[in-house]
Amino acid sequence: MSVIDHDFGLQERQAARRFTKLLSLDALHEANVRANPVPYLERASERIFQLEKALVEAAQATAPPEGDPAPAETILVDKADYQRLLNCRAIIEKAVVELAPDAEATPVANNP
């Protein structure tokens, strides 16, 4: 006698549950996601676009301004805070390069 393995749609339910969690939806939407996923995919696509836009804006904000340089000012910053800033800049640069390796991704200049 052999045992027949069957998950009774468990993988599909888990995928729908994970998708609703990633979209920050409550459990009531899970059945709707399985029945009609298109509006939820559109919502996810819009969210991804917003995150990509924010990432590119953050990379542009770390770049030095074009044109006339701002007057030099001296500020005091803890070394740990400055290191965190540099780490954030590196993370943003890496993410922008991964986002669009051959498109309009502009590397951010390193001005320590």
Side-chain angles (χ1 to χ4, degrees):
M1 181 194 262
S2 63
V3 176
I4 300 173
D5 291 328
H6 189 61
D7 68 355
F8 300 100
L10 177 66
Q11 289 180 341
E12 293 172 6
R13 288 192 311 273
Q14 287 176 337
R17 190 170 298 131
R18 181 171 182 265
F19 188 61
T20 56
K21 181 181 175 189
L22 290 173
L23 286 176
S24 302
L25 301 172
D26 55 10
L28 299 174
H29 290 275
E30 187 176 329
N32 293 340
V33 168
R34 285 195 307 254
N36 186 16
V38 174
Y40 298 99
L41 291 171
E42 290 172 353
R43 185 183 295 182
S45 177
E46 177 63 27
R47 180 72 176 134
I48 291 169
F49 173 76
Q50 291 171 352
L51 291 171
E52 288 175 350
K53 182 180 173 187
L55 183 62
V56 170
E57 289 174 356
Q60 290 172 348
T62 62
E66 296 178 10
D68 295 330
E73 293 182 45
T74 302
I75 58 170
L76 296 177
V77 179
D78 289 337
K79 186 174 182 176
D81 288 339
Y82 182 69
Q83 189 60 43
R84 282 195 295 274
L85 174 68
L86 293 179
N87 290 341
C88 290
R89 179 188 282 174
I91 290 169
I92 290 171
E93 288 175 1
K94 181 181 175 189
V96 168
V97 169
E98 289 175 1
L99 177 66
D102 53 13
E104 58 185 89
T106 57
V108 180
N110 283 334
N111 290 331

